[in-house]
Amino acid sequence: MATGRTHRPATRSRGIPEATVARLPLYLRALTALSERSVPTVSSEELASAAGVNSAKLRKDFSYLGSYGTRGVGYDVEYLVYQISRELGLTQDWPVVIVGIGNLGAALANYGGFASRGFRVAALIDADPAMAGKPVAGIAVQHTDELEHIIEDNGVSIGVIATPAGAAQQVCDRLVAAGVTSILNFAPTVLSVPDGVDVRKVDLSIELQILAFHEQRKAGEETGHETVTPAPVADAGAVAADRKGPDGDVPAVMPA
């Protein structure tokens, strides 16, 4: 298995920058909320504000989709929902397996947003024999001995790892060997994968540490005391969201 990490230009085959791809789910979430309120059109300024970006960046992002809006009218909400959903691959059903059904894995299994966003939890897998057959979110947990068969039978290409750190790499290796090419990693460790496999890392403790840094700075500004910039983290790979594949590195995002 390849362990080296090659960084390539952050562009997709269709020429859409990875930074733009990372913002598309934010636009889709804002547009979906507008659609649910039966709002027919939205200006770039309104949509940018709802998504938390500036309007110039939004217009540039949408230009990659071939959507420029109408002057004085704005963007058609339903059409943009369709455009972005199609670009993200959400117009088809994506079977997903979750490996590691502890507290976090069970919470992910119960997350109601997967189905509405084009993802179907095809199987829940755990190494504990006592978990086998136990229903979680209406799905019977299966033992890791069945992992390869489950992936093949369900045509799974996306795996979610919610195991302890020590088991994550072995699980990752088995997922990749079985044909999984995209992994969402919640385990607090950096995974090594071959070329062509994408890994997104979600580390809640790191997000909290970043918030703590900003809280410290705000406290320093209020008291007028200079704050000390924290020393660089030794394992920089653990701070960044891992991305191994032809498209480079992008930040990880949580589902809304």
Side-chain angles (χ1 to χ4, degrees):
M1 173 168 295
T3 57
R5 299 188 180 278
T6 302
H7 299 283
R8 297 181 176 87
T11 56
R12 292 168 65 84
S13 58
R14 290 183 57 184
I16 302 179
E18 283 293 342
T20 295
V21 175
R23 286 188 291 268
L24 291 182
L26 304 180
Y27 301 140
L28 183 58
R29 179 174 59 186
L31 287 162
T32 300
L34 292 171
S35 177
E36 290 171 351
R37 288 160 38 204
S38 299
V39 176
T41 59
V42 62
S43 70
S44 58
E45 289 78 12
E46 292 169 332
L47 183 54
S49 176
V53 304
N54 67 64
S55 58
K57 184 175 293 183
L58 177 143
R59 287 191 292 269
K60 180 66 173 177
D61 288 342
F62 284 178
S63 72
Y64 291 111
L65 305 180
S67 185
Y68 298 93
T70 303
R71 184 177 295 275
V73 177
Y75 293 93
D76 183 289
V77 170
E78 291 299 332
Y79 181 62
L80 265 185
V81 168
Y82 166 74
Q83 257 192 318
I84 295 175
S85 296
R86 182 184 61 184
E87 194 64 45
L88 290 173
L90 303 182
T91 54
Q92 60 182 298
D93 178 61
W94 291 101
V96 175
V97 296
I98 301 175
V99 184
I101 313 302
N103 291 334
L104 178 57
L108 292 170
N110 280 284
Y111 174 61
F114 285 131
S116 64
R117 289 165 171 81
F119 302 96
R120 172 176 57 85
V121 178
L124 305 177
I125 304 172
D126 197 273
D128 184 357
M131 289 289 293
K134 180 178 179 181
V136 175
I139 302 173
V141 176
Q142 301 180 68
H143 193 265
T144 49
D145 287 348
E146 303 299 318
L147 185 147
E148 287 79 9
H149 295 299
I150 292 168
I151 291 172
E152 181 179 1
D153 292 346
N154 291 277
V156 174
S157 58
I158 300 176
V160 178
I161 296 178
T163 66
Q169 185 62 59
Q170 182 181 18
V171 168
C172 175
D173 293 345
R174 289 182 63 187
L175 288 172
V176 171
V180 169
T181 52
S182 292
I183 294 172
L184 181 61
N185 177 33
F186 284 89
T189 186
V190 177
L191 298 176
S192 179
V193 295
D195 288 334
V197 176
D198 294 324
V199 177
R200 299 299 301 272
K201 179 172 172 55
V202 179
D203 193 321
L204 301 181
S205 65
I206 287 175
E207 300 303 323
L208 288 171
Q209 290 167 13
I210 293 171
L211 289 176
F213 168 76
H214 290 294
E215 284 300 312
Q216 176 181 253
R217 292 192 64 180
K218 285 185 282 187
E221 290 170 359
E222 290 174 359
T223 61
H225 295 152
E226 183 178 354
T227 58
V228 179
T229 302
V233 178
D235 184 3
V239 177
D242 283 342
R243 179 76 185 240
K244 182 66 175 178
D247 296 331
D249 293 343
V250 295
V253 292
M254 286 288 287

